[in-house]
Amino acid sequence: MSRSSTERPAPEHRATVALMVTNARYTKQARVFASKHDITLIDADGLRHLSEYGDSVRGRITPHSGDAP
């Protein structure tokens, strides 16, 4: 079975949702890795926004390509 060039493989981590949170910033390499492995990144600015405005983390999560919307 062939895969289209835009279809991504299933993530290796097998998690329904994968988050990586830091109180700093992510390197370009970390952002590329996270993108390839369906990992949602939350950096210092994201944490600050969540704490100041009480936003839900759920709004920052991108569903995996195989998940239903």
Side-chain angles (χ1 to χ4, degrees), residues 16-68:
T16 302
V17 174
L19 296 173
M20 185 175 291
V21 181
T22 185
N23 61 354
R25 303 218 188 273
Y26 290 103
T27 62
K28 180 179 179 180
Q29 293 89 345
R31 290 190 305 271
V32 168
F33 180 87
S35 177
K36 287 180 181 178
H37 296 279
D38 285 328
I39 299 171
T40 299
L41 299 177
I42 299 177
D43 64 5
D45 291 336
L47 278 174
R48 189 175 309 106
H49 188 82
L50 291 170
S51 67
E52 289 177 3
Y53 299 102
D55 288 348
S56 169
V57 173
R58 173 167 267 152
R60 294 179 173 266
I61 298 171
T62 304
H64 297 158
S65 56
D67 292 349

